[in-house]
Amino acid sequence: MEPPTMNPVVEPLSWMLGTWLSDPPGAGTFPALQPFQYLEEAYISHVGQPVLNFSFNAFHLDTRRPMHRECGFIRLKPDTNKVAFISAQNTGIVEVEEGEVNGQELCITSHSIARMSFAKEPHVEQITRKFRLNSEGKLEQTVSMATTTQPMTQHLHITYKKVTP
């Protein structure tokens, strides 16, 4: 079967497509947590629709046990640089983030966050993300968040190396 033709609406995000592996391991921190490192695989694809599909799968650095998981969609408003990032996470959070793509950088901020009724506290109240393709052709992601007990603080930073187109 032929791979689908990319919908031109998502062309401004084509630099994100592929399978990416953390290189080096990602770094996490937050005031209530001990700093940690993790491995992650990011898979960003399309099926010809005006939307990208994504999954991020994190693993413990030493044991390789699964950790954080999230999957969803990235949509562009046609004929603009406006982007929506829709994500469901294994922590029970579902979020919509919105922002803009400018060149090879995508900056988004939470528009709405919902959580399951028994999500552990403190609850996430706001998230920001920045994706960018650096000069070495690696994808970087920085995630900051605010919770019911902490103001907006950087939480994660990871650099990925592309392993498949």
Side-chain angles (χ1 to χ4, degrees), residues 69-81:
R69 298 276 192 265
E70 64 184 289
C71 60
F73 307 95
I74 306 171
R75 297 190 66 104
L76 276 99
K77 183 176 180 180
D79 303 317
T80 75
N81 68 339

Side-chain angles (χ1 to χ4, degrees), residues 9-20:
V9 170
V10 294
E11 185 63 38
L13 293 172
S14 62
W15 53 272
M16 297 180 78
L17 291 171
T19 301
W20 305 82

